[in-house]
mmCIF file of all heavy atoms in Angstrom:
data_model
loop_
_atom_site.group_PDB
_atom_site.id
_atom_site.type_symbol
_atom_site.label_atom_id
_atom_site.label_comp_id
_atom_site.label_asym_id
_atom_site.label_seq_id
_atom_site.Cartn_x
_atom_site.Cartn_y
_atom_site.Cartn_z
ATOM 1 N N ALA X 34 -5.813 6.682 3.912
ATOM 2 C CA ALA X 34 -7.248 6.536 3.563
ATOM 3 C C ALA X 34 -7.857 5.402 4.356
ATOM 4 O O ALA X 34 -9.010 5.486 4.859
ATOM 5 C CB ALA X 34 -7.459 6.317 2.082
ATOM 6 N N GLU X 85 4.627 4.985 9.272
ATOM 7 C CA GLU X 85 5.813 5.635 9.874
ATOM 8 C C GLU X 85 7.091 5.095 9.218
ATOM 9 O O GLU X 85 8.011 5.874 8.889
ATOM 10 C CB GLU X 85 5.867 5.369 11.360
ATOM 11 C CG GLU X 85 7.020 6.031 12.086
ATOM 12 C CD GLU X 85 7.001 5.807 13.560
ATOM 13 O OE1 GLU X 85 6.056 5.150 14.079
ATOM 14 O OE2 GLU X 85 7.946 6.300 14.244
ATOM 15 N N ARG X 101 23.806 13.033 -2.270
ATOM 16 C CA ARG X 101 24.519 12.591 -3.455
ATOM 17 C C ARG X 101 24.741 13.739 -4.402
ATOM 18 O O ARG X 101 25.844 13.946 -4.948
ATOM 19 C CB ARG X 101 23.719 11.490 -4.174
ATOM 20 C CG ARG X 101 24.420 10.869 -5.358
ATOM 21 C CD ARG X 101 23.501 9.938 -6.133
ATOM 22 N NE ARG X 101 22.479 10.726 -6.835
ATOM 23 C CZ ARG X 101 22.617 11.275 -8.024
ATOM 24 N NH1 ARG X 101 23.819 11.230 -8.651
ATOM 25 N NH2 ARG X 101 21.679 11.952 -8.600
ATOM 26 N N ASN X 119 31.640 10.928 -14.419
ATOM 27 C CA ASN X 119 31.780 9.459 -14.474
ATOM 28 C C ASN X 119 31.834 8.769 -13.123
ATOM 29 O O ASN X 119 31.933 7.554 -13.044
ATOM 30 C CB ASN X 119 33.018 9.089 -15.281
ATOM 31 C CG ASN X 119 32.926 9.509 -16.726
ATOM 32 O OD1 ASN X 119 31.910 9.342 -17.374
ATOM 33 N ND2 ASN X 119 34.005 10.111 -17.261
ATOM 34 N N SER X 121 29.591 8.269 -10.893
ATOM 35 C CA SER X 121 28.454 7.401 -10.536
ATOM 36 C C SER X 121 28.490 6.047 -11.182
ATOM 37 O O SER X 121 27.851 5.094 -10.714
ATOM 38 C CB SER X 121 27.134 8.117 -10.929
ATOM 39 O OG SER X 121 26.941 9.318 -10.221
ATOM 40 N N GLU X 126 39.117 0.085 -13.095
ATOM 41 C CA GLU X 126 40.538 0.117 -13.426
ATOM 42 C C GLU X 126 41.358 -0.105 -12.161
ATOM 43 O O GLU X 126 40.866 0.036 -11.037
ATOM 44 C CB GLU X 126 40.855 1.463 -14.092
ATOM 45 C CG GLU X 126 40.133 1.628 -15.436
ATOM 46 C CD GLU X 126 40.420 2.945 -16.107
ATOM 47 O OE1 GLU X 126 40.836 3.882 -15.335
ATOM 48 O OE2 GLU X 126 40.238 3.072 -17.333
ATOM 49 N N TRP X 135 41.405 -0.075 -0.102
ATOM 50 C CA TRP X 135 41.837 0.844 0.982
ATOM 51 C C TRP X 135 40.663 1.284 1.814
ATOM 52 O O TRP X 135 40.764 1.317 3.047
ATOM 53 C CB TRP X 135 42.549 2.030 0.328
ATOM 54 C CG TRP X 135 43.013 3.023 1.322
ATOM 55 C CD1 TRP X 135 44.066 2.922 2.161
ATOM 56 C CD2 TRP X 135 42.481 4.342 1.532
ATOM 57 N NE1 TRP X 135 44.216 4.080 2.913
ATOM 58 C CE2 TRP X 135 43.263 4.965 2.550
ATOM 59 C CE3 TRP X 135 41.427 5.051 1.000
ATOM 60 C CZ2 TRP X 135 42.996 6.264 3.043
ATOM 61 C CZ3 TRP X 135 41.165 6.341 1.458
ATOM 62 C CH2 TRP X 135 41.947 6.921 2.440
ATOM 63 N N ALA X 158 39.069 10.657 -6.384
ATOM 64 C CA ALA X 158 37.771 11.339 -6.332
ATOM 65 C C ALA X 158 36.673 10.370 -6.008
ATOM 66 O O ALA X 158 35.763 10.677 -5.229
ATOM 67 C CB ALA X 158 37.493 11.982 -7.704
ATOM 68 N N LEU X 182 52.754 30.234 2.738
ATOM 69 C CA LEU X 182 52.881 29.163 3.715
ATOM 70 C C LEU X 182 53.107 29.677 5.129
ATOM 71 O O LEU X 182 53.283 28.908 6.030
ATOM 72 C CB LEU X 182 54.041 28.228 3.315
ATOM 73 C CG LEU X 182 53.873 27.556 1.975
ATOM 74 C CD1 LEU X 182 55.159 26.807 1.610
ATOM 75 C CD2 LEU X 182 52.705 26.609 1.988
ATOM 76 N N SER X 189 45.588 28.584 9.300
ATOM 77 C CA SER X 189 44.236 28.096 9.221
ATOM 78 C C SER X 189 44.135 26.939 8.226
ATOM 79 O O SER X 189 43.454 25.911 8.491
ATOM 80 C CB SER X 189 43.284 29.215 8.835
ATOM 81 O OG SER X 189 41.937 28.736 8.728
ATOM 82 N N ALA X 194 43.753 21.062 7.139
ATOM 83 C CA ALA X 194 44.347 19.884 6.517
ATOM 84 C C ALA X 194 44.746 18.825 7.563
ATOM 85 O O ALA X 194 44.660 17.606 7.279
ATOM 86 C CB ALA X 194 45.581 20.312 5.726
ATOM 87 N N PRO X 198 38.567 14.786 8.284
ATOM 88 C CA PRO X 198 38.440 13.332 8.221
ATOM 89 C C PRO X 198 39.105 12.749 6.987
ATOM 90 O O PRO X 198 39.584 11.595 7.042
ATOM 91 C CB PRO X 198 36.904 13.109 8.177
ATOM 92 C CG PRO X 198 36.359 14.304 8.862
ATOM 93 C CD PRO X 198 37.243 15.479 8.482
ATOM 94 N N GLU X 204 48.426 15.172 -7.467
ATOM 95 C CA GLU X 204 49.554 15.529 -8.327
ATOM 96 C C GLU X 204 50.787 16.003 -7.593
ATOM 97 O O GLU X 204 51.463 16.949 -7.969
ATOM 98 C CB GLU X 204 49.098 16.565 -9.371
ATOM 99 C CG GLU X 204 48.113 16.039 -10.379
ATOM 100 C CD GLU X 204 47.968 16.920 -11.588
ATOM 101 O OE1 GLU X 204 48.800 17.797 -11.847
ATOM 102 O OE2 GLU X 204 46.959 16.809 -12.301
ATOM 103 N N GLU X 208 54.888 19.938 -8.597
ATOM 104 C CA GLU X 208 55.225 21.277 -8.161
ATOM 105 C C GLU X 208 56.744 21.512 -8.186
ATOM 106 O O GLU X 208 57.509 20.561 -8.228
ATOM 107 C CB GLU X 208 54.692 21.532 -6.721
ATOM 108 C CG GLU X 208 55.453 20.779 -5.646
ATOM 109 C CD GLU X 208 55.089 19.280 -5.588
ATOM 110 O OE1 GLU X 208 54.007 18.935 -6.049
ATOM 111 O OE2 GLU X 208 55.920 18.487 -5.062
ATOM 112 N N THR X 216 58.144 21.299 4.385
ATOM 113 C CA THR X 216 57.999 21.451 5.848
ATOM 114 C C THR X 216 56.542 21.511 6.225
ATOM 115 O O THR X 216 56.102 20.921 7.209
ATOM 116 C CB THR X 216 58.740 22.696 6.326
ATOM 117 O OG1 THR X 216 60.144 22.614 5.997
ATOM 118 C CG2 THR X 216 58.595 22.884 7.836
ATOM 119 N N MET X 247 59.545 12.908 -1.148
ATOM 120 C CA MET X 247 58.893 13.028 0.173
ATOM 121 C C MET X 247 59.907 13.208 1.332
ATOM 122 O O MET X 247 59.600 13.848 2.327
ATOM 123 C CB MET X 247 58.056 11.785 0.467
ATOM 124 C CG MET X 247 56.635 11.819 -0.140
ATOM 125 S SD MET X 247 55.645 13.079 0.717
ATOM 126 C CE MET X 247 54.134 13.008 -0.245
ATOM 127 N N ALA X 264 51.227 0.911 -13.950
ATOM 128 C CA ALA X 264 52.127 0.807 -15.135
ATOM 129 C C ALA X 264 51.252 0.369 -16.332
ATOM 130 O O ALA X 264 51.194 -0.804 -16.715
ATOM 131 C CB ALA X 264 53.213 -0.236 -14.867
ATOM 132 N N SER X 273 53.088 -2.164 3.577
ATOM 133 C CA SER X 273 54.046 -2.449 4.631
ATOM 134 C C SER X 273 53.346 -2.481 5.947
ATOM 135 O O SER X 273 52.539 -1.583 6.241
ATOM 136 C CB SER X 273 55.182 -1.420 4.662
ATOM 137 O OG SER X 273 55.824 -1.362 3.395
#
Side-chain angles (χ1 to χ4, degrees):
E85 183 177 357
R101 184 188 71 83
N119 295 316
S121 297
E126 296 179 338
W135 179 72
L182 298 174
S189 178
E204 294 195 17
E208 71 284 337
T216 299
M247 274 292 175
S273 302

